[in-house]
């Protein structure tokens, strides 16, 4: 088949794209407005309307252009920025500082994030308790709701969580898009196993010390959320580690390699999410009959999830985050979204439509609160 | 077999679609159920432990919590006891504490809140030092390191 025709197969007409956007439009409308848009505070109303239009326009373009990653990334990056804005804004309002104090730890007021989950498992199983100074059920980012959100997202999306749900991933995704061409072209593939080593290390060290060691000592995203107040050599060392890892793995290396290096080489939750790729219904498949082995997809994959061997074998590796970058890059539509059980090369449109609806809906609703909050803050700054 | 696999795959995908559709409207009730699971409680290392004794003072109350020695598989040899003062707390807190209820004072503590200075006078050999001494939203909290 002619290449252009194959790409055109993923595109839809204007009317059909509108029709496909309608369910997203209605559901996000209900979630963002509760069914009753309120413009009594113009800034809040406008922020809500902007966020609502943003998600629906992006979703419409996914159908209309047949491209996925380009529009996914816009929302994913805005999500990461707005979540950091929301967290920092919250910290400054409540505590007048981006750092938390010993009292906040003692009173268990630290917001919980999904990266703590791997470290919770062993202590929860053996001591029947949670080793985190947060709130179990009440307040912002409480432990129970974050566990539910992550569990469902992992079951449904697998490592897709890392491109459609994680409010940190947008940082290195964003920086990996800054340069047109990479400065560093080759990094050993072996590094992609590093998150499993980090996972093992933090799970064991957390159990032994009864402390979420990754959060206390390693997490690069402390640099853009909240961290312990620097009052001692120990807290200064921690702040130094957070900032260097953020600067190195989230900013510098993604800019130079065009890859998501933090997510590929460090994040322990990414490792767990990769394993969950084995059970999720949605996958990325290779249609061997359509593939001419140009390996364009291998070059663009930001997570080192594709190798030339994978393409030859017709199988995407467990590191795949279903971002769609390779799918967009393939002019023959040979690499495509699929559903477990359905042979590759068949029902491509059906699989893509279903996957996009599920994954985009999750991201749109999950991100809407912090995006509205950020737009609201910006509008208040301007007017 | 191929057909069965296709039907199973699509059913699994549709189930996941439904799961995402009910996730957000049902989040509060799902979280509520998860919060009731037996392991969903904070470890005493974070809460400070249960209140073992409450001492009503002139204008404030002192909570002496149970010593915490929790470890992963077994209790540790070192831990802490947390003291919380709440109410109208004097500028200078001075208390003698018998944390193990054996009838003998284990340490004396002096907190100069204005200068954020805490002085510990250990009486028992099990008392190691001040781990944390900090103002809190309810008053003041101190953790004293202990040996078992
Ligand atoms: S690898 Fe970690 S930080 Fe990156 S997107 Fe996944 S969970 Fe988030
Ligand atoms: S294989 Fe494709 S969909 Fe998967 S992470 Fe790489 S570029 Fe994204």
């Amino acid at each position: 088949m002619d290449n252009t025709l194959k790409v055109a197969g993923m595109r839809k007409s204007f009317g059909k794209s509108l029709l496909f956007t309608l369910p997203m439009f209605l559901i996000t409308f209900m979630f963002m407005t509760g069914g009753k848009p309120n413009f009594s505070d113009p800034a809040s109303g406008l922020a809500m309307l902007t966020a609502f239009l943003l998600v629906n326009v992006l979703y419409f373009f996914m159908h209309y252009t047949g491209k996925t990653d380009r529009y996914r990334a816009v929302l994913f990056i805005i999500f990461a920025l707005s979540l950091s804005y929301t967290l920092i804004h919250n910290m400054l309002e409540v505590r007048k500082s981006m750092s938390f104090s010993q009292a906040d730890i003692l009173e268990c007021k630290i917001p919980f994030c999904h990266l703590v989950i791997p470290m919770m498992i062993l202590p929860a199983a053996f001591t029947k308790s949670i080793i985190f100074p947060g709130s179990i059920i009440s307040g912002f980012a409480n432990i129970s709701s974050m566990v539910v959100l992550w569990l469902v997202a992992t079951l449904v999306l697998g490592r897709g969580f890392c491109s459609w749900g994680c409010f940190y991933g947008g940082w290195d995704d964003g920086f990996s898009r800054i340069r047109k061409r990479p400065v560093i072209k080759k990094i050993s593939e072996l590094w992609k196993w590093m998150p499993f080593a980090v996972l093992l290390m933090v799970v064991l060290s957390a159990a032994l010390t009864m402390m979420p060691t990754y959060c206390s000592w390693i997490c690069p995203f402390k640099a853009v959320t909240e961290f312990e107040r620097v009052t001692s050599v120990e807290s200064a060392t921690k702040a130094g580690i957070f900032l260097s890892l953020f600067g190195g793995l989230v900013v510098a290396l993604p800019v130079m390699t065009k890859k998501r290096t933090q997510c590929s080489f460090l994040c322990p939750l990414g490792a767990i999410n990769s394993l969950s790729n084995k059970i999720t219904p949605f996958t990325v498949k290779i249609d061997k009959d359509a593939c001419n082995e140009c390996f364009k997809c291998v070059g663009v994959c930001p997570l080192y999830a594709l190798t030339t061997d994978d393409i030859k074998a017709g199988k995407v590796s467990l590191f795949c985050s279903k971002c769609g970058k390779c799918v967009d890059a393939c002019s023959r539509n040979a690499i495509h979204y699929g559903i477990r059980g359905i042979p590759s090369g068949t029902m491509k449109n059906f699989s893509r439509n279903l996957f996009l609806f599920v994954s985009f809906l999750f991201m749109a609703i999950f991100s809407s609160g912090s995006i509205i909050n950020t737009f609201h803050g910006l509008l208040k700054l301007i007017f | 077999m191929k057909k069965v696999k296709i039907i199973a795959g699509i059913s699994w995908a549709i189930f996941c679609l439904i799961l995402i559709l009910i996730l957000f409207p049902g989040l509060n009730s799902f979280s509520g159920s998860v919060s009731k699971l037996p392991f969903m409680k904070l470890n005493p290392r974070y809460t400070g432990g249960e209140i073992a004794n409450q001492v009503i003072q002139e204008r404030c109350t002192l909570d002496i919590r149970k010593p915490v020695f929790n470890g992963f598989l077994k209790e540790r040899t070192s831990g802490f006891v947390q003291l919380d003062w709440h109410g109208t707390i004097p500028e200078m807190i001075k208390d003698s504490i018998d944390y193990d209820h054996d009838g003998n004072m284990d340490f004396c503590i002096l907190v100069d809140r204005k200068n954020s200075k805490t002085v510990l006078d250990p009486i028992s050999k099990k008392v190691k030092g001040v781990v944390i001494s900090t103002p809190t939203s309810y008053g003041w909290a101190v953790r004293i390191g202990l040996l078992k």
Side-chain angles (χ1 to χ4, degrees):
Chain A
M1 201 196 287
D2 171 70
N3 287 352
T4 15
L5 278 180
K6 288 200 172 182
V7 177
M10 285 295 128
R11 288 195 199 129
K12 294 184 184 78
S13 68
F14 189 84
K16 215 171 169 191
S17 304
L18 271 185
L19 205 67
F20 271 85
T21 310
L22 192 63
M24 185 66 65
F25 188 91
L26 294 174
I27 297 173
T28 49
F29 177 78
M30 288 307 291
F31 270 107
M32 291 189 194
T33 66
K36 287 182 230 129
N38 182 359
F39 285 93
S40 56
D41 170 19
S44 305
L46 199 57
M48 190 273 300
L49 186 70
T50 317
F52 171 71
L53 288 176
L54 173 78
V55 296
N56 284 288
V57 166
L58 290 172
Y59 189 65
F60 169 84
F61 274 106
M62 280 184 173
H63 286 289
Y64 186 58
T65 61
K67 299 283 181 196
T68 306
D69 174 67
R70 193 185 292 170
Y71 303 104
R72 175 205 63 82
V74 174
L75 192 59
F76 193 54
I77 294 166
I78 293 178
F79 185 20
L81 296 175
S82 62
L83 199 281
S84 290
Y85 169 84
T86 304
L87 262 174
I88 293 169
H89 187 255
N90 202 33
M91 293 283 291
L92 292 177
E93 218 160 58
V94 178
R95 302 183 188 129
K96 313 269 173 283
S97 151
M98 222 183 116
S99 58
F100 53 78
S101 62
Q102 282 188 327
D104 297 321
I105 303 175
L106 232 58
E107 292 181 56
C108 297
K109 287 181 176 168
I110 309 300
F112 183 83
C113 102
H114 49 278
L115 297 193
V116 186
I117 292 170
M119 291 169 284
M120 270 172 43
I121 300 169
L122 282 184
F126 285 87
T127 69
K128 304 242 173 314
S129 64
I130 303 294
I131 52 158
F132 188 82
S135 158
I136 291 285
I137 185 75
S138 59
F140 176 67
N142 66 68
I143 300 171
S144 303
S145 60
M146 290 304 291
V147 167
V148 170
L149 282 167
W150 173 78
L151 259 182
V152 173
T154 305
L155 189 70
V156 175
L157 303 172
R159 198 167 189 206
F161 180 77
C162 299
S163 280
W164 298 85
C166 177
F167 44 72
Y168 294 132
W171 279 97
D172 60 353
D173 198 350
F175 282 112
S176 72
R177 287 166 197 269
I178 285 181
R179 285 186 65 96
K180 264 223 154 116
R181 282 178 216 300
V183 184
I184 302 173
K185 292 207 178 84
K186 192 105 189 99
I187 290 186
S188 168
E189 294 278 330
L190 284 177
W191 283 103
K192 69 185 181 193
W193 293 98
M194 188 66 181
F196 288 94
V198 177
L199 176 67
L200 189 69
M201 189 183 83
V202 297
V203 164
L204 292 178
S205 62
L208 291 175
T209 59
M210 297 290 278
M211 248 177 33
T213 38
Y214 186 79
C215 316
S216 307
W217 285 96
I218 305 172
C219 180
F221 296 106
K222 291 277 170 207
V224 285
T225 52
E226 87 292 297
F227 52 86
E228 197 179 323
R229 193 163 295 155
V230 176
T231 52
S232 60
V233 177
E234 185 183 308
S235 49
T237 313
K238 286 176 181 175
I241 296 174
F242 300 148
L243 291 171
S244 337
L245 283 177
F246 186 81
L249 283 177
V250 183
V251 182
L253 272 177
V255 171
M256 291 192 288
T257 57
K258 286 191 70 59
K259 305 283 179 192
R260 291 173 57 183
T261 46
Q262 189 285 144
C263 298
S264 304
F265 302 151
L266 183 71
C267 180
L269 196 69
I272 293 196
N273 291 345
S274 295
L275 297 177
S276 69
N277 254 356
K278 291 261 175 217
I279 51 163
T280 57
F282 304 106
T283 57
V284 169
K285 297 196 174 206
I286 298 162
D287 176 0
K288 291 259 289 170
D289 294 336
C291 177
N292 65 355
E293 300 193 350
C294 70
F295 303 128
K296 247 192 229 162
C297 51
V298 175
V300 297
C301 178
L303 285 167
Y304 300 91
L306 269 183
T307 61
T308 48
D309 289 342
D310 294 329
I311 297 295
K312 283 177 192 155
K315 250 188 156 184
V316 170
S317 78
L318 53 72
F319 299 99
C320 172
S321 72
K322 299 156 199 174
C323 68
K325 213 167 182 180
C326 56
V327 180
D328 286 359
C330 180
S331 55
R332 300 175 64 83
N333 199 13
I335 190 158
H336 63 94
Y337 285 114
I339 291 176
R340 205 172 288 282
I342 299 181
S344 55
T346 58
M347 297 173 77
K348 292 180 183 178
N349 262 317
F350 172 78
S351 304
R352 177 176 187 262
N353 290 339
L354 197 55
F355 172 71
L356 285 192
F357 184 72
V358 169
S359 52
F360 195 86
L361 184 64
F362 179 81
M363 177 157 65
I365 298 176
F366 192 28
S367 63
S368 61
S370 48
I371 294 181
I372 294 174
N373 190 45
T374 306
F375 285 165
H376 183 241
L378 291 176
L379 284 170
K380 274 187 31 192
L381 268 184
I382 301 167
F383 303 110
Chain B
M1 191 59 194
K2 211 167 143 191
K3 263 199 178 149
V4 175
K5 271 188 171 176
I6 294 175
I7 292 169
I10 295 178
S11 311
W12 181 211
I14 302 280
F15 173 78
C16 287
L17 165 69
I18 296 168
L19 209 57
I20 291 291
L21 285 173
I22 59 170
L23 171 64
F24 291 96
L27 187 59
N28 284 344
S29 92
F30 296 146
S31 314
S33 311
V34 166
S35 72
K36 291 191 190 100
L37 292 172
F39 57 83
M40 284 301 263
K41 52 180 191 298
L42 297 182
N43 191 276
R45 296 184 75 82
Y46 296 93
T47 58
E50 284 169 42
I51 297 172
N53 193 10
Q54 236 182 11
V55 185
I56 315 276
Q57 299 176 335
E58 214 173 297
R59 279 174 303 160
C60 72
T61 307
L62 163 64
D63 292 341
I64 305 172
R65 292 174 181 266
K66 267 191 181 169
V68 175
F69 291 101
N70 290 51
F72 176 50
L73 293 175
K74 57 180 175 65
E75 291 217 320
R76 296 170 174 213
T77 49
S78 61
F80 65 84
V81 63
Q82 183 168 323
L83 312 172
D84 297 296
W85 287 267
H86 44 93
T88 315
I89 308 168
E91 284 290 289
M92 198 72 95
I93 302 171
K94 197 172 175 196
D95 276 300
S96 302
I97 310 290
D98 169 19
Y99 74 84
D100 53 6
H101 312 291
D102 63 353
N104 300 317
M105 289 303 157
D106 297 301
F107 59 88
C108 297
I109 182 122
L110 183 100
V111 182
D112 174 358
R113 288 172 60 218
K114 207 170 160 193
N115 298 309
S116 284
K117 261 195 157 171
T118 306
V119 181
L120 174 78
D121 179 12
I123 300 168
S124 160
K125 280 196 179 125
K126 292 177 181 169
V127 176
K128 275 169 56 184
V130 179
V131 182
I132 297 173
S133 180
T134 179
T136 58
S137 62
Y138 53 81
W140 199 278
V142 168
R143 278 188 183 182
I144 303 293
L146 300 176
L147 290 175
K148 211 160 181 211

